[in-house]
PDB file of all heavy atoms in Angstrom:
ATOM      1  N   LYS A 196      70.351  37.606-110.645  1.00 44.00           N
ATOM      2  CA  LYS A 196      70.650  38.987-110.286  1.00 44.00           C
ATOM      3  C   LYS A 196      69.431  39.729-109.800  1.00 44.00           C
ATOM      4  O   LYS A 196      69.514  40.620-108.967  1.00 44.00           O
ATOM      5  CB  LYS A 196      71.274  39.719-111.482  1.00 44.00           C
ATOM      6  CG  LYS A 196      72.716  39.328-111.738  1.00 44.00           C
ATOM      7  CD  LYS A 196      73.324  40.129-112.871  1.00 44.00           C
ATOM      8  CE  LYS A 196      74.786  39.745-113.058  1.00 44.00           C
ATOM      9  NZ  LYS A 196      75.415  40.489-114.182  1.00 44.00           N
ATOM     10  N   ASN A 213      66.952  37.619 -85.388  1.00 43.00           N
ATOM     11  CA  ASN A 213      67.314  36.453 -84.588  1.00 43.00           C
ATOM     12  C   ASN A 213      68.181  36.842 -83.407  1.00 43.00           C
ATOM     13  O   ASN A 213      68.052  36.306 -82.316  1.00 43.00           O
ATOM     14  CB  ASN A 213      68.057  35.430 -85.450  1.00 43.00           C
ATOM     15  CG  ASN A 213      67.123  34.767 -86.449  1.00 43.00           C
ATOM     16  OD1 ASN A 213      65.909  34.815 -86.291  1.00 43.00           O
ATOM     17  ND2 ASN A 213      67.702  34.162 -87.479  1.00 43.00           N
ATOM     18  N   THR A 249      56.732  14.825 -83.515  1.00 88.00           N
ATOM     19  CA  THR A 249      56.037  14.937 -84.798  1.00 88.00           C
ATOM     20  C   THR A 249      55.568  13.569 -85.296  1.00 88.00           C
ATOM     21  O   THR A 249      54.434  13.413 -85.760  1.00 88.00           O
ATOM     22  CB  THR A 249      56.963  15.576 -85.845  1.00 88.00           C
ATOM     23  OG1 THR A 249      57.407  16.847 -85.367  1.00 88.00           O
ATOM     24  CG2 THR A 249      56.248  15.762 -87.164  1.00 88.00           C
ATOM     25  N   SER A 268      74.657   5.972 -89.868  1.00 94.00           N
ATOM     26  CA  SER A 268      75.463   5.248 -90.850  1.00 94.00           C
ATOM     27  C   SER A 268      76.551   6.132 -91.444  1.00 94.00           C
ATOM     28  O   SER A 268      77.349   5.676 -92.259  1.00 94.00           O
ATOM     29  CB  SER A 268      74.576   4.712 -91.977  1.00 94.00           C
ATOM     30  OG  SER A 268      73.946   5.784 -92.671  1.00 94.00           O
ATOM     31  N   SER A 276      77.125  14.878 -84.058  1.00 94.00           N
ATOM     32  CA  SER A 276      75.892  14.762 -83.275  1.00 94.00           C
ATOM     33  C   SER A 276      76.145  14.834 -81.780  1.00 94.00           C
ATOM     34  O   SER A 276      77.225  14.479 -81.293  1.00 94.00           O
ATOM     35  CB  SER A 276      75.184  13.449 -83.617  1.00 94.00           C
ATOM     36  OG  SER A 276      74.809  13.415 -84.975  1.00 94.00           O
ATOM     37  N   VAL A 381      92.478   9.318 -89.776  1.00 93.00           N
ATOM     38  CA  VAL A 381      91.477  10.358 -89.575  1.00 93.00           C
ATOM     39  C   VAL A 381      91.510  10.924 -88.156  1.00 93.00           C
ATOM     40  O   VAL A 381      91.217  12.105 -87.947  1.00 93.00           O
ATOM     41  CB  VAL A 381      90.070   9.804 -89.916  1.00 93.00           C
ATOM     42  CG1 VAL A 381      89.676   8.704 -88.949  1.00 93.00           C
ATOM     43  CG2 VAL A 381      89.032  10.910 -89.899  1.00 93.00           C
ATOM     44  N   MET A 396      78.829   2.975 -78.251  1.00 96.00           N
ATOM     45  CA  MET A 396      78.988   2.130 -77.065  1.00 96.00           C
ATOM     46  C   MET A 396      77.945   2.421 -75.983  1.00 96.00           C
ATOM     47  O   MET A 396      77.791   1.642 -75.046  1.00 96.00           O
ATOM     48  CB  MET A 396      80.388   2.299 -76.476  1.00 96.00           C
ATOM     49  CG  MET A 396      81.473   1.560 -77.225  1.00 96.00           C
ATOM     50  SD  MET A 396      81.159  -0.214 -77.391  1.00 96.00           S
ATOM     51  CE  MET A 396      81.092  -0.715 -75.672  1.00 96.00           C
ATOM     52  N   PRO A 404      71.263 -10.697 -79.248  1.00 90.00           N
ATOM     53  CA  PRO A 404      71.621 -11.662 -80.303  1.00 90.00           C
ATOM     54  C   PRO A 404      71.654 -11.057 -81.700  1.00 90.00           C
ATOM     55  O   PRO A 404      72.429 -11.500 -82.556  1.00 90.00           O
ATOM     56  CB  PRO A 404      70.522 -12.729 -80.185  1.00 90.00           C
ATOM     57  CG  PRO A 404      70.046 -12.635 -78.767  1.00 90.00           C
ATOM     58  CD  PRO A 404      70.153 -11.195 -78.402  1.00 90.00           C
ATOM     59  N   ALA A 427      93.807   5.500 -75.188  1.00 96.00           N
ATOM     60  CA  ALA A 427      94.059   6.035 -73.847  1.00 96.00           C
ATOM     61  C   ALA A 427      93.001   7.061 -73.465  1.00 96.00           C
ATOM     62  O   ALA A 427      92.548   7.103 -72.303  1.00 96.00           O
ATOM     63  CB  ALA A 427      95.454   6.659 -73.796  1.00 96.00           C
ATOM     64  N   VAL A 467      91.903 -20.289 -82.692  1.00 95.00           N
ATOM     65  CA  VAL A 467      91.066 -19.165 -82.285  1.00 95.00           C
ATOM     66  C   VAL A 467      91.800 -17.849 -82.513  1.00 95.00           C
ATOM     67  O   VAL A 467      91.175 -16.792 -82.672  1.00 95.00           O
ATOM     68  CB  VAL A 467      90.647 -19.327 -80.803  1.00 95.00           C
ATOM     69  CG1 VAL A 467      91.854 -19.183 -79.881  1.00 95.00           C
ATOM     70  CG2 VAL A 467      89.576 -18.318 -80.416  1.00 95.00           C
ATOM     71  N   VAL A 473      86.938 -12.598 -82.591  1.00 96.00           N
ATOM     72  CA  VAL A 473      87.421 -12.867 -81.228  1.00 96.00           C
ATOM     73  C   VAL A 473      88.613 -11.977 -80.899  1.00 96.00           C
ATOM     74  O   VAL A 473      88.704 -11.407 -79.804  1.00 96.00           O
ATOM     75  CB  VAL A 473      87.794 -14.350 -81.078  1.00 96.00           C
ATOM     76  CG1 VAL A 473      88.413 -14.615 -79.708  1.00 96.00           C
ATOM     77  CG2 VAL A 473      86.565 -15.231 -81.278  1.00 96.00           C
ATOM     78  N   VAL A 530     106.437  -4.604 -71.451  1.00 86.00           N
ATOM     79  CA  VAL A 530     105.515  -3.642 -70.862  1.00 86.00           C
ATOM     80  C   VAL A 530     104.439  -3.336 -71.894  1.00 86.00           C
ATOM     81  O   VAL A 530     104.742  -3.104 -73.068  1.00 86.00           O
ATOM     82  CB  VAL A 530     106.228  -2.341 -70.439  1.00 86.00           C
ATOM     83  CG1 VAL A 530     105.222  -1.339 -69.868  1.00 86.00           C
ATOM     84  CG2 VAL A 530     107.318  -2.639 -69.423  1.00 86.00           C
ATOM     85  N   LEU A 559      87.136 -19.401 -73.895  1.00 96.00           N
ATOM     86  CA  LEU A 559      88.315 -19.094 -74.697  1.00 96.00           C
ATOM     87  C   LEU A 559      89.527 -19.852 -74.180  1.00 96.00           C
ATOM     88  O   LEU A 559      90.311 -20.393 -74.979  1.00 96.00           O
ATOM     89  CB  LEU A 559      88.582 -17.584 -74.668  1.00 96.00           C
ATOM     90  CG  LEU A 559      89.872 -17.113 -75.350  1.00 96.00           C
ATOM     91  CD1 LEU A 559      89.821 -17.385 -76.850  1.00 96.00           C
ATOM     92  CD2 LEU A 559      90.119 -15.635 -75.089  1.00 96.00           C
ATOM     93  N   PHE A 571     103.443 -17.123 -81.027  1.00 93.00           N
ATOM     94  CA  PHE A 571     103.064 -15.804 -81.538  1.00 93.00           C
ATOM     95  C   PHE A 571     103.498 -14.702 -80.566  1.00 93.00           C
ATOM     96  O   PHE A 571     103.868 -13.606 -80.987  1.00 93.00           O
ATOM     97  CB  PHE A 571     101.557 -15.732 -81.755  1.00 93.00           C
ATOM     98  CG  PHE A 571     101.020 -16.783 -82.690  1.00 93.00           C
ATOM     99  CD1 PHE A 571      99.724 -17.258 -82.558  1.00 93.00           C
ATOM    100  CD2 PHE A 571     101.805 -17.302 -83.709  1.00 93.00           C
ATOM    101  CE1 PHE A 571      99.222 -18.214 -83.410  1.00 93.00           C
ATOM    102  CE2 PHE A 571     101.321 -18.270 -84.571  1.00 93.00           C
ATOM    103  CZ  PHE A 571     100.026 -18.726 -84.414  1.00 93.00           C
ATOM    104  N   LYS A 594      97.873 -19.263 -67.986  1.00 94.00           N
ATOM    105  CA  LYS A 594      99.097 -18.470 -67.863  1.00 94.00           C
ATOM    106  C   LYS A 594     100.267 -19.335 -67.412  1.00 94.00           C
ATOM    107  O   LYS A 594     101.395 -19.173 -67.893  1.00 94.00           O
ATOM    108  CB  LYS A 594      98.883 -17.332 -66.856  1.00 94.00           C
ATOM    109  CG  LYS A 594      97.909 -16.263 -67.292  1.00 94.00           C
ATOM    110  CD  LYS A 594      97.782 -15.214 -66.192  1.00 94.00           C
ATOM    111  CE  LYS A 594      96.700 -14.214 -66.484  1.00 94.00           C
ATOM    112  NZ  LYS A 594      96.546 -13.228 -65.383  1.00 94.00           N
ATOM    113  N   LEU A 598     103.870 -19.858 -69.107  1.00 91.00           N
ATOM    114  CA  LEU A 598     105.130 -19.693 -68.392  1.00 91.00           C
ATOM    115  C   LEU A 598     105.967 -20.962 -68.456  1.00 91.00           C
ATOM    116  O   LEU A 598     107.200 -20.909 -68.549  1.00 91.00           O
ATOM    117  CB  LEU A 598     104.845 -19.323 -66.932  1.00 91.00           C
ATOM    118  CG  LEU A 598     106.047 -18.968 -66.072  1.00 91.00           C
ATOM    119  CD1 LEU A 598     106.703 -17.683 -66.559  1.00 91.00           C
ATOM    120  CD2 LEU A 598     105.636 -18.810 -64.601  1.00 91.00           C
ATOM    121  N   LEU A 624     131.267 -28.854 -70.446  1.00 68.00           N
ATOM    122  CA  LEU A 624     130.447 -28.154 -69.462  1.00 68.00           C
ATOM    123  C   LEU A 624     129.144 -28.898 -69.244  1.00 68.00           C
ATOM    124  O   LEU A 624     128.670 -29.616 -70.116  1.00 68.00           O
ATOM    125  CB  LEU A 624     130.165 -26.720 -69.935  1.00 68.00           C
ATOM    126  CG  LEU A 624     131.397 -25.836 -70.171  1.00 68.00           C
ATOM    127  CD1 LEU A 624     130.962 -24.477 -70.681  1.00 68.00           C
ATOM    128  CD2 LEU A 624     132.189 -25.692 -68.868  1.00 68.00           C
ATOM    129  N   ILE A 648     127.365 -19.910 -58.271  1.00 84.00           N
ATOM    130  CA  ILE A 648     126.745 -19.816 -59.596  1.00 84.00           C
ATOM    131  C   ILE A 648     126.247 -18.395 -59.842  1.00 84.00           C
ATOM    132  O   ILE A 648     126.419 -17.832 -60.932  1.00 84.00           O
ATOM    133  CB  ILE A 648     125.592 -20.828 -59.721  1.00 84.00           C
ATOM    134  CG1 ILE A 648     126.137 -22.259 -59.688  1.00 84.00           C
ATOM    135  CG2 ILE A 648     124.792 -20.580 -60.989  1.00 84.00           C
ATOM    136  CD1 ILE A 648     125.063 -23.314 -59.630  1.00 84.00           C
ATOM    137  N   GLY A 721     115.168 -16.446 -51.901  1.00 91.00           N
ATOM    138  CA  GLY A 721     114.659 -15.888 -53.157  1.00 91.00           C
ATOM    139  C   GLY A 721     114.980 -16.765 -54.347  1.00 91.00           C
ATOM    140  O   GLY A 721     114.135 -16.962 -55.226  1.00 91.00           O
ATOM    141  N   ARG A 744     103.389  -8.658 -53.486  1.00 94.00           N
ATOM    142  CA  ARG A 744     103.278  -7.303 -54.029  1.00 94.00           C
ATOM    143  C   ARG A 744     104.642  -6.618 -54.039  1.00 94.00           C
ATOM    144  O   ARG A 744     104.987  -5.912 -54.995  1.00 94.00           O
ATOM    145  CB  ARG A 744     102.282  -6.478 -53.203  1.00 94.00           C
ATOM    146  CG  ARG A 744     100.824  -6.826 -53.472  1.00 94.00           C
ATOM    147  CD  ARG A 744      99.884  -5.927 -52.686  1.00 94.00           C
ATOM    148  NE  ARG A 744     100.122  -4.531 -52.975  1.00 94.00           N
ATOM    149  CZ  ARG A 744      99.668  -3.881 -54.045  1.00 94.00           C
ATOM    150  NH1 ARG A 744      98.942  -4.523 -54.936  1.00 94.00           N
ATOM    151  NH2 ARG A 744      99.940  -2.604 -54.238  1.00 94.00           N
ATOM    152  N   LEU A 767      95.622   0.101 -35.020  1.00 94.00           N
ATOM    153  CA  LEU A 767      95.801   1.358 -35.734  1.00 94.00           C
ATOM    154  C   LEU A 767      94.491   1.834 -36.362  1.00 94.00           C
ATOM    155  O   LEU A 767      94.238   3.045 -36.444  1.00 94.00           O
ATOM    156  CB  LEU A 767      96.864   1.191 -36.816  1.00 94.00           C
ATOM    157  CG  LEU A 767      98.292   0.936 -36.328  1.00 94.00           C
ATOM    158  CD1 LEU A 767      99.236   0.708 -37.504  1.00 94.00           C
ATOM    159  CD2 LEU A 767      98.791   2.097 -35.473  1.00 94.00           C
ATOM    160  N   GLU A 772      89.751   5.726 -36.133  1.00 93.00           N
ATOM    161  CA  GLU A 772      88.312   5.913 -35.979  1.00 93.00           C
ATOM    162  C   GLU A 772      87.930   6.489 -34.619  1.00 93.00           C
ATOM    163  O   GLU A 772      86.747   6.749 -34.370  1.00 93.00           O
ATOM    164  CB  GLU A 772      87.589   4.574 -36.183  1.00 93.00           C
ATOM    165  CG  GLU A 772      87.755   4.002 -37.586  1.00 93.00           C
ATOM    166  CD  GLU A 772      87.145   2.625 -37.727  1.00 93.00           C
ATOM    167  OE1 GLU A 772      86.712   2.076 -36.674  1.00 93.00           O
ATOM    168  OE2 GLU A 772      87.101   2.110 -38.862  1.00 93.00           O
ATOM    169  N   VAL A 831     112.599  -4.358 -42.457  1.00 93.00           N
ATOM    170  CA  VAL A 831     113.065  -5.580 -43.130  1.00 93.00           C
ATOM    171  C   VAL A 831     113.732  -5.242 -44.458  1.00 93.00           C
ATOM    172  O   VAL A 831     113.829  -6.101 -45.338  1.00 93.00           O
ATOM    173  CB  VAL A 831     111.885  -6.560 -43.353  1.00 93.00           C
ATOM    174  CG1 VAL A 831     111.335  -7.058 -42.022  1.00 93.00           C
ATOM    175  CG2 VAL A 831     110.778  -5.898 -44.170  1.00 93.00           C
TER     176      VAL A 831
END
Side-chain angles (χ1 to χ4, degrees):
K196 285 183 178 179
N213 289 342
T249 303
S268 62
S276 298
V381 65
M396 283 304 300
V467 68
V473 175
V530 178
L559 174 65
F571 303 151
K594 292 179 187 178
L598 186 66
L624 301 178
I648 293 173
R744 284 183 57 80
L767 293 177
E772 297 175 353
V831 295

